[in-house]
């Protein structure tokens, strides 16, 4: 895996981290072993990926039980995503569309009617049932419906990507822009905020145009940063669903210029996130809750960058001095 040289991405948000991170890491390590999500060399790689630090940066203000749940969920989502992405060492999940559709149907059944895992049950389905039962215990039916819809969007995006790979087609930049937030579950991280950080906001505030714009920007920003940070890994895995590679193909760019254009997109949208955050209207009695919600959106953006750059062996890149005006 050759290191990719990246321009330093703009991020004016101050870093934060949950002080309970080590307790959550220890818990999830035991949880991963319980469900055999990683074994042998895969478990060693999982430890090097260090997802617990990412989760602790995403949700810096939540309690320990919520942090444990969020970390378990994040690790499980990465297990699913990795199985779907690697086109060189193809997981059984993506050996055929029938396999993929059967997997999605099984996940949807668990979300519809989760049964507590029995002693000795292992694998993704048992882990999903465990996580979903714990989420249901601390959330409202309305949030659960919304969250299930979000997971369905993730599965639909995975099947869309699978179809593209099978036909050898790449989406346009415009199409990928619309769908990217549902690939890799960036949207799930923002959807978990209300439950994990215990923020209660009415639907009319969550659906306010400024709030929804911030949510979409946050999801996109995690995606554009991740497409840059993970570029070397995805080139090695044969995964072409990456904004850098799609820009490169559509605009007939060199890899270096495509990296610069993807970084410029990130920085443009980060400045928009900064602007909209500063211009939010008053929501009366909910002002403090809205400010916390936006603060946690920002923590996800900053946390994704700090974890990717400093705390995980998952990616291989270097921050260099590539000029952002190179187009």
């Amino acid at each position: 895996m050759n290191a990719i040289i990246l321009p330093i991405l703009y991020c004016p948000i101050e870093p934060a981290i949950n002080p309970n991170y080590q307790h959550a890491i220890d818990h999830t390590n035991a949880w991963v072993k319980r469900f055999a999500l990683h074994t042998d060399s895969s478990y060693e790689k999982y430890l090097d990926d260090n997802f617990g630090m990412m989760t602790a940066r995403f949700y810096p203000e939540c309690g320990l039980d919520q942090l444990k749940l969020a970390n378990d969920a994040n690790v499980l989502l990465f297990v699913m995503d990795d199985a779907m992405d690697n086109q060189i060492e193809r997981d059984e999940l993506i050996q055929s569309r029938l396999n993929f559709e059967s997997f999605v149907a099984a996940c949807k059944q668990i979300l519809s009617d989760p049964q507590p895992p029995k002693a000795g049950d292992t694998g993704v389905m048992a882990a999903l049932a465990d996580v979903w039962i714990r989420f249901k215990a601390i959330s409202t039916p309305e949030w659960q419906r919304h969250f299930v819809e979000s997971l369905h969007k993730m599965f639909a995006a995975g099947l869309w990507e699978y179809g593209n790979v099978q036909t050898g087609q790449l989406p346009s930049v415009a199409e990928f822009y619309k769908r990217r937030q549902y690939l890799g579950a960036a949207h799930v991280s923002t959807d978990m905020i209300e439950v994990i950080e215990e923020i209660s906001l009415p639907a009319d505030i969550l659906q306010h145009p400024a709030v929804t714009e911030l949510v979409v920007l946050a999801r996109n920003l995690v995606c554009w940063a991740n497409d840059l940070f993970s570029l070397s890994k995805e080139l090695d895995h044969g995964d072409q669903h990456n904004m850098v590679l799609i820009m490169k193909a559509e605009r007939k760019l060199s890899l270096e210029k495509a990296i610069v254009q993807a970084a410029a997109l990130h920085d443009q949208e980060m400045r928009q996130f900064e602007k909209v955050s500063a211009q939010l209207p008053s929501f009366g009695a909910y002002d403090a809750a809205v400010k916390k919600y936006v603060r946690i959106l920002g923590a996800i953006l900053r946390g994704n960058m700090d974890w990717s750059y400093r705390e995980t062996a998952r990616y291989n890149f270097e921050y260099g001095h590539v000029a952002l005006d190179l187009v």
Side-chain angles (χ1 to χ4, degrees):
M1 184 189 300
N2 296 318
I4 297 290
I5 298 176
L6 303 177
I8 295 175
L9 301 177
Y10 177 64
C11 186
I13 299 161
E14 289 295 316
I17 190 164
N18 195 301
N20 293 309
Y21 65 87
Q22 191 58 57
H23 296 295
I25 289 170
D26 292 343
H27 158 83
T28 300
N29 289 348
W31 185 83
V32 164
K33 289 180 178 179
R34 173 189 169 190
F35 289 105
L37 296 178
H38 293 284
T39 58
D40 302 325
S41 62
S42 173
Y43 183 76
E44 296 304 314
K45 181 185 180 301
Y46 151 75
L47 292 178
D48 288 341
D49 285 343
N50 202 14
F51 295 120
M53 294 301 290
M54 181 197 76
T55 306
R57 291 189 179 280
F58 278 20
Y59 310 107
E61 301 177 29
C62 72
L64 177 56
D65 286 343
Q66 287 84 354
L67 188 64
K68 290 176 179 178
L69 176 56
N71 199 39
D72 292 351
N74 280 333
V75 166
L76 178 59
L77 289 168
F78 271 99
V79 169
M80 292 181 178
D81 190 52
D82 284 348
M84 289 186 275
D85 278 349
N86 195 329
Q87 301 300 324
I88 304 300
E89 299 174 7
R90 294 168 66 87
D91 187 271
E92 181 182 355
L93 169 63
I94 57 173
Q95 290 292 339
S96 72
R97 188 174 185 92
L98 179 61
N99 284 11
F100 204 153
E101 290 176 344
S102 296
F103 170 80
V104 169
C107 289
K108 289 182 175 180
Q109 176 59 36
I110 288 170
L111 294 171
S112 174
D113 183 26
Q115 301 299 313
K118 298 175 184 176
D121 284 354
T122 60
V124 167
M125 297 305 165
L128 177 61
D130 176 78
V131 163
W132 186 229
I133 287 168
R134 289 155 62 198
F135 267 118
K136 287 173 69 79
I138 60 172
S139 61
T140 65
E142 181 180 3
W143 181 88
Q144 292 161 28
R145 285 192 295 272
H146 176 77
F147 196 72
V148 168
E149 289 173 5
S150 285
L151 292 176
H152 285 187
K153 290 176 182 177
M154 180 186 76
F155 296 138
L159 286 166
W160 167 78
E161 179 182 10
Y162 182 86
N164 290 341
V165 171
Q166 292 302 103
T167 58
Q169 295 180 336
L170 274 181
S172 66
V173 169
E175 184 180 16
F176 190 69
Y177 184 94
K178 292 178 182 177
R179 291 184 181 262
R180 176 62 179 90
Q181 64 178 295
Y182 302 116
L183 289 171
H187 66 303
V188 177
S189 296
T190 62
D191 288 341
M192 288 199 294
I193 290 176
E194 294 166 75
V195 169
I196 298 301
E197 286 283 359
E198 298 181 279
I199 301 172
S200 180
L201 290 170
D204 62 319
I205 291 179
L206 290 170
Q207 293 164 10
H208 186 279
V211 176
T212 57
E213 182 179 4
L214 286 174
V215 171
V216 173
L217 283 168
R219 293 171 174 177
N220 285 348
L221 283 161
V222 168
C223 292
W224 311 146
N226 182 256
D227 281 358
L228 289 158
F229 297 149
S230 66
L231 181 59
S232 179
K233 176 177 75 72
E234 292 179 352
L235 285 170
D236 283 353
H237 288 177
D239 180 13
Q240 297 292 307
H241 281 70
N242 178 300
M243 183 57 90
V244 175
L245 300 178
I246 290 171
M247 284 180 165
K248 178 179 182 292
E250 180 175 302
R251 300 174 182 177
K252 297 178 172 57
L253 304 171
S254 68
L255 183 63
E256 183 182 49
K257 288 184 178 180
I259 287 171
V260 168
Q261 289 197 12
L265 172 62
H266 172 278
D267 288 2
Q268 174 188 337
E269 296 205 339
M270 183 67 80
R271 290 187 169 88
Q272 180 66 9
F273 183 89
E274 190 178 19
K275 177 183 175 182
V276 176
S277 298
Q279 296 178 350
L280 281 174
S282 172
F283 293 98
Y286 291 99
D287 275 351
V290 170
K291 287 179 180 178
K292 180 177 179 180
Y293 186 80
V294 174
R295 189 165 67 246
I296 303 304
L297 286 174
I300 290 174
L301 305 185
R302 181 66 194 223
N304 179 59
M305 296 179 71
D306 287 345
W307 170 74
S308 298
Y309 180 41
R310 304 175 189 277
E311 294 167 344
T312 183
R314 186 175 176 83
Y315 309 125
N316 186 22
F317 64 91
E318 298 176 5
Y319 267 166
H321 300 283
V322 181
L324 277 181
D325 59 358
L326 178 63
V327 295

